[in-house]
């Protein structure tokens, strides 16, 4: 099965980093968050990726064109300009990089992959800025079991601020530091999709999260896979620092490949 990763957005809320590089190339733990996402899929046996490029997409192309060199020992013969690789530690990935337009919306980027997905009955899809410890194997199995058009991973984000609890006299009884929101689910961004979803995307200006998903939901073809574990997007510098700290302290739940 292929995994599609949307990696073309501007990432304006993380402008401290994205003025210099596309958001998926922002590093956490010394590696781009895009690499972390791909390692998550690879851990579940998915090694065939299609990456939708837009803003500064050439930097993502350069990363993969030079990946083997960065992951290997090298002998360079300067007289012939030839290089030999030793102890190549590259992953067994096949990576297709597709320019989907700098201003194309998320649905439009997906639609532009029709030729690359025409032989795929189902495929995975996610965004290039979030990590999660969802069991991708079970997510795929759940999608195949119900046999419908789309499966969305529903997650429960932590509250952005601490929560106060009061007694009947307005005395504060406890202060919970950013507890999980146990009442609200949101789109966690890890999908399994039928090829048929592409029929519901009219053009470049379509946002995947609006007309296509709403139409698929109304036709009773959108199912949720509820995930109660870790999920975190990297929208802001604060989010990046949180992910960095989790890696630094050895408490990054999405890193299961080591």
């Amino acid at each position: 099965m292929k995994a599609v990763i949307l990696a073309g957005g501007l990432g304006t809320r993380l402008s401290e980093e994205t003025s210099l590089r596309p958001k998926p190339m922002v590093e956490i733990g010394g590696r781009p968050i895009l690499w972390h996402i791909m390692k998550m899929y690879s851990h579940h046996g998915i090694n065939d990726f299609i990456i939708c490029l837009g803003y500064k997409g050439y930097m993502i192309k350069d990363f993969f064109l030079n990946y083997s060199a960065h992951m290997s020992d090298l002998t360079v013969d300067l007289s012939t300009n030839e290089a030999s690789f030793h102890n190549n530690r590259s992953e067994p990935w096949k990576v297709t990089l597709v320019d989907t337009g700098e201003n194309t919306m998320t649905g439009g980027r997906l639609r532009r992959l029709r030729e690359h997905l025409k032989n795929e009955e189902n495929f995975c899809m996610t965004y290039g800025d979030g990590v999660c410890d969802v069991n991708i194997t079970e997510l795929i199995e759940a999608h195949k079991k119900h046999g419908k058009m789309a499966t969305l991973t529903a997650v429960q984000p932590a509250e952005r601020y601490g929560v106060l609890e009061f007694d009947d006299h307005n005395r504060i009884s406890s202060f919970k530091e950013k507890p999980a929101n146990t009442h609200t689910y949101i789109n966690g961004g890890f999908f399994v999709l039928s090829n048929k979803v592409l029929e519901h995307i009219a053009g470049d200006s379509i946002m995947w999260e609006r007309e296509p998903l709403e139409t698929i939901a109304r036709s009773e073809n959108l199912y949720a896979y509820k995930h109660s574990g870790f999920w975190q997007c990297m929208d802001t510098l604060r989010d990046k620092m949180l992910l960095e700290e989790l890696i630094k302290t050895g408490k990054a739940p999405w890193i299961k490949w080591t």
Side-chain angles (χ1 to χ4, degrees), residues 183-231:
H183 304 293
T184 303
Y185 282 92
I186 66 169
N187 171 13
F190 288 83
F191 295 88
V192 183
L193 303 173
S194 161
N195 184 289
K196 295 177 182 178
V197 303
L198 302 176
E199 300 170 7
H200 295 277
I201 305 172
D204 284 356
S205 63
I206 301 299
M207 291 187 66
W208 164 248
E209 301 79 10
R210 295 190 180 168
E211 295 99 321
L213 270 188
E214 290 168 359
T215 299
I216 293 168
R218 284 195 298 270
S219 67
E220 300 182 353
N221 270 287
L222 178 61
Y223 276 65
Y225 178 85
K226 292 183 178 180
H227 175 61
S228 58
F230 177 85
W231 173 87

Side-chain angles (χ1 to χ4, degrees), residues 25-257:
M25 292 304 294
V26 174
E27 293 185 355
I28 54 173
R31 295 288 176 86
I33 191 169
L34 175 62
W35 179 88
H36 285 262
I37 295 166
M38 294 170 73
K39 289 289 282 188
M40 289 166 47
Y41 278 105
S42 189
H43 179 68
H44 289 273
I46 296 175
N47 294 299
D48 194 344
F49 298 94
I50 306 175
I51 302 178
C52 300
L53 305 180
Y55 174 69
K56 295 185 182 294
Y58 66 90
M59 297 184 72
I60 299 177
K61 287 183 178 180
D62 287 346
F63 176 76
F64 286 106
L65 280 171
N66 295 299
Y67 190 78
S68 292
H70 290 304
M71 295 297 290
S72 306
D73 299 329
L74 292 174
T75 297
V76 181
D77 187 335
L78 298 180
S79 66
T80 61
N81 199 31
E82 294 179 350
S84 301
F85 294 80
H86 315 289
N87 301 320
N88 191 330
R89 295 178 291 275
S90 299
E91 287 79 5
W93 295 343
K94 178 182 177 182
V95 185
T96 301
L97 302 160
V98 182
D99 287 310
T100 54
E102 188 163 315
N103 298 310
T104 306
M105 296 293 102
T106 50
R109 294 190 192 283
L110 195 55
R111 184 176 184 270
R112 288 200 184 196
L113 302 182
R114 285 174 296 176
E115 285 300 307
H116 298 280
L117 295 170
K118 62 183 179 181
N119 296 321
E120 303 299 314
E121 181 179 356
N122 296 296
F123 60 94
C124 294
M125 192 271 278
T126 193
Y127 306 101
D129 63 354
V131 288
C132 183
D133 64 352
V134 63
N135 188 319
I136 293 170
T137 299
E138 290 186 359
L139 170 62
I140 293 170
E141 290 174 353
H143 175 80
K144 291 180 176 179
K145 184 176 181 179
H146 64 63
K148 298 297 183 179
M149 203 176 297
T151 304
L152 174 158
T153 299
V155 299
Q156 297 175 304
E159 297 283 0
R160 188 161 183 82
Y161 302 101
V163 176
L164 299 177
E165 292 190 352
F166 304 91
D167 63 16
D168 292 339
H169 303 287
N170 289 333
R171 182 181 64 188
I172 295 174
S173 58
S174 67
F175 180 88
K176 295 182 179 179
E177 182 64 21
K178 297 191 288 277
N181 187 337
T182 57
H183 304 293
T184 303
Y185 282 92
I186 66 169
N187 171 13
F190 288 83
F191 295 88
V192 183
L193 303 173
S194 161
N195 184 289
K196 295 177 182 178
V197 303
L198 302 176
E199 300 170 7
H200 295 277
I201 305 172
D204 284 356
S205 63
I206 301 299
M207 291 187 66
W208 164 248
E209 301 79 10
R210 295 190 180 168
E211 295 99 321
L213 270 188
E214 290 168 359
T215 299
I216 293 168
R218 284 195 298 270
S219 67
E220 300 182 353
N221 270 287
L222 178 61
Y223 276 65
Y225 178 85
K226 292 183 178 180
H227 175 61
S228 58
F230 177 85
W231 173 87
Q232 180 64 51
C233 63
M234 190 181 65
D235 278 339
T236 65
L237 187 59
R238 180 176 178 271
D239 296 332
K240 177 185 182 296
M241 293 172 64
L242 169 62
L243 295 173
E244 286 274 18
E245 183 63 21
L246 290 172
I247 294 174
K248 181 180 178 180
T249 57
K251 298 178 181 178
W254 70 93
I255 297 180
K256 298 181 181 295
W257 56 84

